[in-house]
Every structure is written in structure tokens, then in C-alpha cells.
Amino acid sequence: MTEDKKYDLVIIGGGPGGYTAAVRASQLGMTVACVEKHSRLGGVCLNAGCIPSKALLDSSELYVAASRRLADYGVRAENVSFDVSVMMQRKHRIVEALTGQVRKLLEAGRVEIVTGVAELVDAHHVRVSGVSGEIRNLNTNFILLATGSRPVSLPDGDFDGHHIVDSTGALEFSEVPQHLGVIGGGFIGLELGSVWQRLGSRVTVIEMLPQIASGLDGQISRALKRSLDKQGMAFRLKTRVNRVEISANGVNVAVVSGAAEETLTFDKLLVAVGRKPQTHGIGLESVGIERDGHDAVRINSRFQTNIASIYAAGDIVAGPMLAHKASAEGVAAVENMAGMASEVHYDTLPSVIYTNPEVASVGLTEDQVKERNIPYRAGTFPFTGNGRALCAGDTEGLVKVIAHAKTDRILGIHMIGHGASEMIAEGVMAMEMGASSEDIARTVHSHPTFSETLMAAAASIQRQMSKKS
Ligand code: NAI
């Protein structure tokens, strides 16, 4: 084993947390190595998560539009069909292009990309085992842990990659499953369930809680469920999974809701019951890095672990497992190493579910505001009242703005509807700037646009206030 040159920073993990941090560190003048065990950079997000799922969501959505919606617009399209293999090839090209761009970005920043499995040796050394067995020992001032997360499996139903799959497997089906079972009505279950349901699968989502996407504002979650119900997705809420068995017929899932147990049979089963931090095999124990009860690496407000030279960012630390959260933390961690006082504003972290209609939110839900006894006003506006939505034929959904009853400062914005993933950025910016609902209501929006729904929801709070005074 040879002792390498000394780096300012070695990053373990080339996903959104790691590669974004690498670029920022090189801009700050650091010498950086980024270690990634896969040949492609980009982590789960680019290779087996956010990006490929959106590629398939877009393909399947176009199929639905062409086969079922175009006639309403006066457009004739007969004998519309699809080809799963072409959808998969397109998805693959997008992943290749984007991961290639990330590689070029790091190379342009003179970040050394090291392919291999990294393990901490001590506070300043990282051992890397390369693909052909070569070992390197990287000597560094700082280390950033950005190894991400891995899917949680069921106690007795481990992924076999064929019948029982995780999100990666559900992005690779070579044909449309007849009956797809989805355990977990969260982000992954609803997005990937949508892909295959649109292409003809019968999809049944089994969720142990009384509502899907339970972190959402209740009104939005109910609206999403109504919409997915209409599209034909079946839901078994308040339902627990007792056993999972692979049989000649497919996968048998013994579920219980109330007292009775029943068995549901699927030809494929997607298990999407959450993810856990990827903390194994990277030497955390040998260096004594502290973790919390959920196995997440503990960090302070500067993203520093209990070992001063080792920082951590992304899914490996606590908080929502979102790519943009990981990137923001990676950048802030590196800036802290460089002596800057950077932070991530978790109160204004947006989240999006790319179903149709899309769901997007930022800030507190109405239930959270109530639980905290914060005096508030909520204003809503439906997409049916929006001219652009009527023209586009996308009238499903609503926007909700929650503001403090005394100060009018915006506490949360929640929306379901066409373009919500893009529209939420305005809400995030408003909250970042400490805006009031009056600020949004008085901001002139182009007409006709979907974003007028946000202005109108804020204006409805203004009307409530003027009625009071
Ligand atoms: P999730 O936490 O969003 O949803 C998991 C769901 O499974 C929860 O509703 C939970 O109540 C349910 N569940 C757990 N155990 C169960 C059981 N035994 N039986 C039935 N239901 C059960 O996790 P998910 O969907 O696996 O996603 C993992 C992570 O990936 C999330 O943290 C999410 O933020 C992230 N992600 C984000 C996306 C986005 O930003 N659009 C897309 C996909 C994933």
C-alpha cells in the first residue's frame, strides 16, 4: 500500500451530496479527491432514483395523454401503443448523459475521481480498494462522508431482484407487471406505482398508516388519494404486512387490517417502506464516529461529526432523504471547512412528489401549525378557477397558503396540481425572504399562468383579514 499525496479534502460518495461538495471545494481552492465505488458518478439520484424515475414518469405520462386525453383537445391519435424497451433505452441515455456531465464537471474543477470502495482508517486517512484489487491510502486534512442511504427491506421478504424488488428493480422491469403490489404509500411507492399503473398494471398500494404520503398536509394528501383512486390505483390503508412468500403464482403477501388476515397475490412486489443511512463497511466504528438511534451519523450545526476533521452530509445524516437537501448540506459542510459560517435552512426545504397531478410543499402543514398552537390563517385556491389550467385541461388540484394570523408571515405552502414541482420554487423563495401572504398576493403574476393560483390563495388570506378588521 502506498501513501498518496496529501489532499485538503477526501469525499466518500459521488452522489448529489458528494459531487456538489467536490465542485464547491475546488472553487474554494482545495485539492479534492472524490471516491465512488460505482463507475458512474451521481449516486442513487442520477443512476437509480430521481432521474430515471422521472424519465419513466414522463414516458408513461405521454402515453396516457396520447391514448386517453388528446381527443378532448381535438387531436386524433389512433392505435397508440408503447414499447417498454424503448422507454428503458431512453431512460438509460438520460442517465448516461447526466452522469457523464457530472464527471466532466469534476474533471473541470480538477477534482480527482477515485473509483473504489473507501473505508476510514483514522481521522486523516482513507483506504480505497480499487476494482482490480489495488489499495490506495489517501492522506487528507478533511473527510466528508456522503455515502447516502439504502432501501429498508421487510423482515421476512428480502429483495430477490425478480419478484420482490426495491426502487432500482422497479425501474428495470422488462415488461409491464399484470398486478404490481406496492408496500409503502410514500414517495417511491406513489411515483413508481404511477409509472406501471399508467402502462396498464393493476397496482395495489399497501400502507400501514391511515393516509398516503403521511408527511403531507392532510388536505393535499386526501386530494392526491382521490386523484390516484380515479386513475385506478387501489389502496389498502391501515394495513400491515404479516408475511411475504414467493410461490409458483407470484408473491403472496399476507396482510392484516383490523382483525382479519388475508392473502394478496402479485406477480411483482415493490417494497418501498423507507430508506436507512448507508453506514456499514466504511469504518465508522474503527474511528469512533457517533450515530443516533436511527443509525444516522450525528453532526453539529457545522456538519462536523464528533471527530473534528470528519464531516457528513446527505442521507447519511438525519433529516429528509432528498437530493437537494444532500447537495445543500454538502456545499455548507465544505464552506464550514473553509471557515465560512454556512447553514441549510431546513424550514424552507421543498419536497415534491412527481405523480400526476404533482404535489409540492414547503414549511409547516396545517396540522403542524395546530399542534404548535400557532395562530394562523389558511387560504386556498382551486385550479378549476385558473384560466391557464382550463386551457391546458389540467384543472385538478389546489394551492394552500398558511400564514401567521398576527404577523401574516408565511408558515407553509402546499399544492397539488399541474406544474407544482416548478411553482413551489416561488413559495420557497418567498419563505426564504420572510415574505407575508400579502407580499405574494400583491406580487403581479403573468396572466394567464398556473402560478396565479398561488397569488390567489394568498389573496384569499388577505380577504379574510379585511373581513375581520
Ligand atoms: P417514505 O418514507 O416516503 O414512505 C414509506 C411509506 O411506507 C410510509 O408511508 C410508511 O408508513 C410505509 N410503511 C413502512 N413500513 C410499512 C409496512 N411494513 N407496511 C406498509 N407500509 C409501510 O419512503 P420511500 O417511499 O421508500 O422513499 C425513501 C426516501 O426516498 C424518502 O425519504 C423520500 O424522501 C425519498 N424519495 C424522494 C423522492 C422525491 O423527492 N420525489 C422520490 C423518491 C424517494
Side-chain angles (χ1 to χ4, degrees):
M1 184 164 64
T2 51
E3 173 93 356
D4 261 84
K5 71 179 189 199
K6 185 158 182 177
Y7 297 90
D8 292 320
L9 169 63
V10 170
I11 298 171
I12 306 183
Y19 79 73
T20 313
V23 172
R24 183 66 186 127
S26 82
Q27 289 165 352
L28 292 169
M30 297 186 192
T31 52
V32 188
C34 181
V35 189
E36 169 56 55
K37 64 183 176 187
H38 295 297
S39 56
R40 283 200 305 236
L41 294 167
V44 171
C45 170
L46 269 68
N47 290 283
C50 326
I51 296 300
S53 61
K54 262 75 281 170
L56 291 184
L57 278 159
D58 288 338
S59 281
S60 57
E61 185 51 36
L62 278 176
Y63 169 67
V64 169
S67 56
R68 290 181 226 152
R69 295 186 60 197
L70 286 187
D72 281 353
Y73 298 75
V75 179
R76 267 194 224 111
E78 272 134 34
N79 302 322
V80 177
S81 62
F82 62 86
D83 184 333
V84 174
S85 68
V86 176
M87 290 182 180
M88 293 295 168
Q89 285 158 24
R90 174 178 178 274
K91 175 195 73 156
H92 186 70
R93 280 198 306 278
I94 292 165
V95 169
E96 283 283 316
L98 219 48
T99 54
Q101 280 173 28
V102 169
R103 181 168 289 275
K104 286 204 185 97
L105 197 65
L106 295 204
E107 285 167 356
R110 284 196 281 281
V111 172
E112 190 181 334
I113 300 163
V114 181
T115 308
V117 177
E119 193 178 346
L120 296 172
V121 176
D122 60 34
H124 295 285
H125 289 89
V126 175
R127 184 174 41 236
V128 183
S129 315
V131 267
S132 42
E134 72 282 10
I135 305 279
R136 285 179 62 182
N137 192 22
L138 310 181
N139 182 0
T140 177
N141 272 340
F142 293 110
I143 295 167
L144 177 68
L145 304 173
T147 50
S149 60
R150 58 198 163 108
V152 172
S153 59
L154 295 171
D156 67 341
D158 215 356
F159 305 112
D160 71 346
H162 182 60
H163 297 94
I164 307 175
V165 297
D166 60 9
S167 51
T168 306
L171 287 165
E172 297 293 342
F173 293 151
S174 53
E175 52 191 49
V176 179
Q178 267 187 9
H179 194 181
L180 173 66
V182 177
I183 305 186
F187 283 64
I188 292 179
L190 299 178
E191 289 186 6
L192 293 183
S194 290
V195 166
W196 296 107
Q197 191 269 332
R198 291 171 192 172
L199 297 179
S201 280
R202 195 147 69 87
V203 173
T204 303
V205 177
I206 301 163
E207 167 59 55
M208 64 184 185
L209 297 178
Q211 68 175 58
I212 57 169
S214 61
L216 291 182
D217 183 275
Q219 189 177 2
I220 303 289
S221 169
R222 287 189 296 278
L224 175 62
K225 173 152 182 310
R226 272 197 306 276
S227 178
L228 294 174
D229 278 339
K230 256 197 302 185
Q231 291 169 41
M233 206 179 271
F235 291 96
R236 307 291 296 254
L237 302 182
K238 293 198 250 177
T239 302
R240 287 193 161 275
V241 174
N242 271 356
R243 269 182 327 282
V244 175
E245 278 162 7
I246 297 172
S247 73
N249 304 335
V251 194
N252 296 332
V253 183
V255 295
V256 61
S257 63
E261 182 180 288
E262 72 180 294
T263 300
L264 308 173
T265 303
F266 306 105
D267 48 340
K268 300 273 182 197
L269 182 70
L270 163 61
V271 178
V273 294
R275 299 179 62 90
K276 59 182 170 197
Q278 172 51 54
T279 53
H280 293 286
I282 52 172
L284 298 186
E285 298 79 7
S286 57
V287 184
I289 304 263
E290 286 173 7
R291 282 177 261 172
D292 67 17
H294 302 285
D295 214 24
V297 167
R298 273 190 214 282
I299 48 170
N300 61 19
S301 60
R302 304 183 63 235
F303 304 91
Q304 210 170 17
T305 68
N306 57 312
I307 309 290
S309 59
I310 304 181
Y311 290 61
D315 288 5
I316 194 175
V317 302
M321 291 186 173
L322 299 169
H324 46 277
K325 177 247 191 196
S327 306
E329 287 181 340
V331 167
V334 163
E335 290 179 347
N336 275 288
M337 291 173 200
M340 299 159 71
S342 295
E343 53 187 27
V344 173
H345 295 164
Y346 295 98
D347 292 345
T348 53
L349 205 61
S351 76
V352 173
I353 309 180
Y354 293 83
T355 42
N356 185 0
E358 291 179 340
V359 173
S361 58
V362 58
L364 299 177
T365 64
E366 193 162 354
D367 282 339
Q368 286 170 329
V369 171
K370 281 183 188 155
E371 275 159 24
R372 295 176 196 195
N373 291 321
I374 302 172
Y376 74 96
R377 287 197 177 89
T380 58
F381 192 81
F383 274 54
T384 43
N386 177 270
R388 188 75 189 87
L390 277 164
C391 296
D394 285 309
T395 50
E396 235 184 324
L398 70 126
V399 173
K400 177 177 193 171
V401 176
I402 301 170
H404 196 288
K406 295 208 175 87
T407 65
D408 193 33
R409 190 178 175 134
I410 299 166
L411 303 169
I413 299 178
H414 308 276
M415 49 181 82
I416 175 167
H418 180 85
S421 60
E422 301 294 337
M423 246 163 67
I424 196 66
E426 181 186 348
V428 176
M429 175 67 92
M431 286 186 67
E432 269 291 321
M433 309 301 284
S436 61
S437 75
E438 183 180 4
D439 289 326
I440 293 189
R442 287 184 182 275
T443 299
V444 179
H445 288 65
S446 295
H447 176 75
T449 54
F450 287 100
S451 64
E452 287 175 292
T453 51
L454 177 57
M455 178 176 69
S460 95
I461 296 182
Q462 294 307 300
R463 279 196 300 279
Q464 293 170 36
M465 288 169 80
S466 52
K467 267 191 212 146
K468 271 240 146 166
S469 56

